[in-house]
Amino acid sequence: MRYVRVSVNGAPRWGVVREGEVLTLRGDPYGEQLVYDGEVFPLAQCALLAPCTPGKIVCVGKNYAEHARELGSEPPGFPVLFLKGPNTLNHPEGTLHAPAFVTRLDYEGELAVVIRRRAKDVRAEHFADYVLGYTCLNDVTARDIQQHDGQWTRGKSMDGFCPIGPWVTDEVDPGHLSLETRLNGRVVQRGNTEQFLTDVPALLEFITAAMTLEPGDVVATGTPAGIGPMAPGDVVEVDIAGIGVLKNRVI
Ligand code: MG
């Protein structure tokens, strides 16, 4: 199943993508049963919205060993968590913009997990019961601010710093996904979730031991090596095989 959120006459609606069409839903897809409202729209004519409505975005830092090393540190022995606020949520095709005081604006292509059911003290072997599906995410970072502040809140949580999409699919195995980030068409990051230091089942067990995840919450699973800066006019794409491409322009 591929879940999307689309704007219909200015109002957000959930839908399911099937053969180039969006079948819209009554309500959201988090419940036990999907209820179709009978309307159908051509996917190509739909304005896509971020395919989730998170109260919180829980991010994992340094979940690829090579990325930890490029930041000058050894891989941590446990998942390092931080949060991005819901103000960071941005849409497929949404524009990225940093305040003028930011001197280095970085992309970080990542696999995102979207939660379906309230999750607390989840055992790793039961993780799939709590997941709506998977999508692409760009953990946009003001690197200079992150380094200046010594902690990550301001550098990671500026408005619009978390584009997510284009849709959420449950048709992939999160343990075997290849990810590529492109800047103006040039490949700048390449990774595979097989390289995760902590895989998705173990991440959900670790996170939900500490905090309850709610339907629509997002877990960003960390970025591979190759982080780098973006400039106004750049187009950044996060492409995960089997999911799709999240494309945003910097203004
Ligand atoms: Mg990140």
Side-chain angles (χ1 to χ4, degrees), residues 24 42 52 74 93 110 146 171 211 234:
T24 48
C52 50
E74 280 304 302
E93 306 280 352
E110 307 195 7
Q146 181 191 26
E171 295 166 357
M211 65 184 90
D234 284 351

Side-chain angles (χ1 to χ4, degrees), residues 58-247:
V58 183
C59 304
V60 185
K62 304 176 185 172
N63 201 22
Y64 289 82
E66 282 306 304
H67 171 59
R69 292 195 187 98
E70 79 178 341
L71 293 176
S73 56
E74 280 304 302
F78 60 94
V80 176
L81 303 185
F82 64 93
L83 293 173
K84 287 170 92 87
N87 65 303
T88 64
L89 194 70
N90 203 337
H91 306 296
E93 306 280 352
T95 54
L96 303 174
H97 181 66
F101 61 82
V102 172
T103 58
R104 180 167 161 162
L105 183 70
D106 277 13
Y107 54 80
E108 291 190 5
E110 307 195 7
L111 172 73
V113 183
V114 178
I115 299 299
R116 176 175 216 151
R117 269 210 246 153
R118 174 172 286 192
K120 174 66 181 157
D121 293 326
V122 172
R123 299 269 298 276
E125 60 266 37
H126 298 139
F127 84 100
D129 296 344
Y130 298 88
V131 172
L132 180 68
Y134 305 91
T135 188
C136 311
L137 181 151
N138 192 337
D139 175 18
V140 176
T141 303
R143 194 70 65 197
D144 59 321
I145 302 299
Q146 181 191 26
Q147 287 163 355
H148 171 273
D149 288 4
Q151 54 94 309
W152 302 4
T153 302
R154 193 166 63 124
K156 290 283 192 180
S157 271
M158 297 190 197
D159 294 341
F161 269 25
C162 196
I164 303 181
W167 39 65
V168 174
T169 178
D170 58 7
E171 295 166 357
V172 294
D173 174 353
H176 306 278
L177 292 173
S178 62
L179 179 153
E180 189 173 281
T181 307
R182 294 184 292 271
L183 190 65
N184 303 322
R186 182 172 58 91
V187 176
V188 286
Q189 289 188 294
R190 196 170 265 154
N192 191 296
T193 59
E194 293 167 4
Q195 300 159 336
F196 278 164
L197 296 172
T198 307
D199 65 12
V200 169
L203 277 177
L204 289 195
E205 179 167 317
F206 182 83
I207 293 167
T208 64
M211 65 184 90
T212 304
L213 295 176
E214 303 287 351
D217 280 354
V218 169
V219 175
T221 57
T223 200
I227 57 168
M230 304 179 287
D234 284 351
V235 173
V236 60
E237 295 169 284
V238 179
D239 184 344
I240 303 179
I243 298 180
V245 180
L246 171 68
K247 182 176 174 181

